[in-house]
Amino acid sequence: MKKLLVLMCVLMVGLFVFSEEVITLNLIEAFSSPYRTPTLNNIIQMFETLNPGVKINVISPPYETAYQKINLMVSTEQPLDIVEIGDWDLSALAAMGKLEDLTPYIDSWPEKDDMVEGVLEAASIYQGIPYLLPHGIFVKALFYRPDILARYGIESYPKTMPELYEISKKLTESGKNQYGFAFRGKGYPTAFIDIVLTSFFDDIDPNNMYLTKSGEIIFENPRAVEALNFYVSLYKDTAPKDSINWGWDEQVNSFVSGITPLLFQDPDTTGMLNEMLQPGQYKTAPLPLGTSGKVYPTFGFVGWGIPTYSEHKDLAWKFIKFVASAEINGYWSKSYGALPVLQSVYTYDPYFSSDLFEGWTKMFDDPEHYQFTEYPLDNENWGKWNEFQEKTMQQVLLGKLSVENCLKQWTDFWKDTGIK
């Protein structure tokens, strides 16, 4: 009897210890912000409530250095189970061979067929393998402040690049700390440069933003000289001088304050603006058309991946698909501002068809003028390009490098990589 009692006590203690065992998943995010990270924490809290015994530890490096932090942690196999991966960092991470192929998980996921067309294909750009499941879509549009424009007698947003310059110039009164355009000088300014530069072309390759349809690298075409000179004039004539050092935070804060009421940004900016501005204080519009009569937006994406060395891959996937479910993806997108990855979210939530999204709706409905193209993200030198383009562009803005020499360096970079 005593032996039986002892055995029962041992079993009860074992059960108690087992019930108290906690599995901790380490998650690192790439786009932390005071408006986004709390939403992620809310979702994590919901997941933990539904999954007792599971805790998620969130690592939130500063936005400007997040890619470097993530790449370092993955390359050195530091404890991680869920990694947020941006489209521009995908190739660098995947090339390490330390991201799990999510094909088996995605193929068995019931909501796979509900994904917005093309999103999963875009996420599989590196060797045709989905190393992440996207949770948000990004396309740049024009944000503008109608109240500030009206103060200067401007009745409409700029519809072309020349109008963007003219209106921005009209708004600029440096003595009153009033400017027009929210320039992006640092922190991955690539897309801002390229939106303007490619708008001077009418023959951009739909599969590669840096090539014409004839296969020529755009930077060696004379139109690129005119385009980059125009871009430089936007900075010199219509933007604060310290915007040469601006990243996302500075851009958006300047827009909110009204100092620069014209801004190119992604839909995730709406989450912050909805908190900081009153309804109607900002609107969105299509990107201004270039001298070609066209502009070339790109689809961006961000999602969650799993390191190959994670000891809790199935549990990590359970969280990833939870975030990607229709209800949670709708909540995430609405709070954070990204465009949802599931078609059903657009159907059941009228928020995503409201006037707030007019800029994107008009671009999606007019493929003749808004011709979507792609970045060469599958090129393993892509990560080097962002840093190189920013560095050389800075030299141009500071007057230390001519536009012509800058474009030659860009051309040589892509020739050396064998771009195609």
Side-chain angles (χ1 to χ4, degrees):
M1 190 66 166
K2 288 183 179 179
K3 289 183 179 180
L4 181 60
L5 287 172
V6 170
L7 179 61
M8 288 179 64
C9 288
V10 170
L11 287 173
M12 288 179 68
V13 169
L15 286 170
F16 177 78
V17 171
F18 179 78
S19 66
E20 288 296 302
E21 182 182 356
V22 174
I23 296 175
T24 299
L25 300 178
N26 289 309
L27 176 153
I28 187 166
E29 60 172 333
F31 302 99
S32 63
S33 80
Y35 295 90
R36 179 188 192 270
T37 304
T39 301
L40 175 61
N41 288 333
N42 288 341
I43 292 172
I44 288 172
Q45 188 175 17
M46 285 186 265
F47 180 79
E48 290 176 344
T49 300
L50 293 170
N51 296 272
V54 177
K55 296 294 180 185
I56 297 181
N57 173 49
V58 179
I59 303 167
S60 302
Y63 171 81
E64 287 77 12
T65 58
Y67 281 165
Q68 293 94 315
K69 176 74 171 179
I70 290 170
N71 291 0
L72 175 63
M73 290 190 71
V74 172
S75 66
T76 55
E77 297 193 6
Q78 295 180 43
L80 286 175
D81 302 286
I82 304 165
V83 179
E84 188 168 38
I85 305 167
D87 49 0
W88 288 13
D89 198 35
L90 174 57
S91 293
L93 277 173
M96 296 177 190
K98 295 182 179 181
L99 289 180
E100 190 76 10
D101 178 357
L102 298 185
T103 300
Y105 291 115
I106 293 173
D107 284 348
S108 62
W109 181 45
E111 290 177 286
K112 172 186 175 183
D113 294 334
D114 189 26
M115 295 197 78
V116 171
E117 185 178 356
V119 173
L120 194 55
E121 289 76 9
S124 305
I125 194 168
Y126 188 81
Q127 298 182 349
I129 297 172
Y131 288 109
L132 76 161
L133 182 67
H135 62 63
I137 303 171
F138 303 87
V139 178
K140 284 191 170 48
L142 172 68
F143 288 70
Y144 67 100
R145 291 284 303 272
D147 53 340
I148 308 295
L149 268 59
R151 193 183 303 165
Y152 284 79
I154 301 166
E155 298 179 356
S156 180
Y157 61 84
K159 298 176 178 62
T160 67
M161 291 293 177
E163 284 184 11
L164 174 67
Y165 176 84
E166 291 165 10
I167 290 176
S168 296
K169 190 76 167 63
K170 185 175 181 178
L171 289 164
T172 299
E173 296 182 282
S174 57
K176 297 181 180 179
N177 198 31
Q178 178 65 61
Y179 298 88
F181 187 61
F183 194 83
R184 176 69 163 262
K186 289 189 175 179
Y188 298 94
T190 300
F192 301 89
I193 300 167
D194 296 337
I195 285 170
V196 174
L197 194 150
T198 55
S199 73
F200 282 66
F201 289 73
D202 60 358
D203 55 349
I204 295 294
D205 186 335
N207 298 309
N208 193 326
M209 177 176 260
Y210 293 148
L211 297 176
T212 65
K213 290 178 180 178
S214 65
E216 178 188 25
I217 296 175
I218 62 171
F219 304 125
E220 59 184 343
N221 187 289
R223 289 172 289 184
V225 177
E226 180 186 3
L228 199 56
N229 275 317
F230 175 83
Y231 185 73
V232 172
S233 71
L234 275 176
Y235 167 68
K236 290 186 174 180
D237 300 341
T238 77
K241 293 298 172 269
D242 62 340
S243 63
I244 192 172
N245 296 313
W246 283 7
W248 185 84
D249 285 339
E250 292 84 1
Q251 270 190 307
V252 176
N253 287 331
S254 179
F255 180 80
V256 169
S257 68
I259 293 172
T260 52
L262 297 170
L263 167 72
F264 292 168
Q265 260 305 338
D266 291 299
D268 59 328
T269 308
T270 60
M272 179 176 178
L273 296 182
N274 290 342
E275 293 285 337
M276 300 184 73
L277 294 173
Q278 297 299 315
Q281 271 195 293
Y282 82 94
K283 293 184 178 181
T284 66
L287 291 169
L289 300 176
T291 56
S292 66
K294 299 177 182 180
V295 71
Y296 298 90
T298 59
F299 275 110
F301 58 87
V302 63
W304 304 108
I306 303 172
T308 54
Y309 57 85
S310 168
E311 297 179 358
H312 308 290
K313 294 174 186 174
D314 289 346
L315 196 53
W317 170 253
K318 189 175 184 180
F319 173 78
I320 290 171
K321 71 176 183 179
F322 175 75
V323 178
S325 63
E327 184 178 355
I328 301 300
N329 187 235
Y331 165 70
W332 169 255
S333 300
K334 195 170 183 177
S335 301
Y336 163 39
L339 299 176
V341 297
L342 298 182
Q343 300 175 63
S344 57
V345 177
Y346 295 89
T347 303
Y348 79 72
D349 194 334
Y351 173 77
F352 294 104
S353 57
S354 66
D355 290 344
L356 188 61
F357 291 87
E358 183 177 344
W360 294 282
T361 301
K362 286 185 174 181
M363 288 196 292
F364 295 155
D365 290 344
D366 186 2
E368 179 183 352
H369 296 101
Y370 305 94
Q371 298 189 2
F372 281 81
T373 182
E374 299 176 6
Y375 275 113
L377 301 178
D378 56 339
N379 191 301
E380 292 184 8
N381 288 289
W382 174 253
K384 298 176 183 176
W385 165 247
N386 292 295
E387 183 180 347
F388 179 70
Q389 190 188 36
E390 178 180 319
K391 178 182 177 181
T392 47
M393 189 71 247
Q394 287 271 312
Q395 291 176 325
V396 173
L397 296 173
L398 292 169
K400 297 179 179 180
L401 181 67
S402 71
V403 163
E404 291 78 9
N405 284 337
C406 176
L407 290 168
K408 184 181 184 306
Q409 289 187 37
W410 292 357
T411 300
D412 291 344
F413 178 95
W414 286 112
K415 282 185 175 179
D416 290 343
T417 66
I419 189 173
K420 56 184 178 178

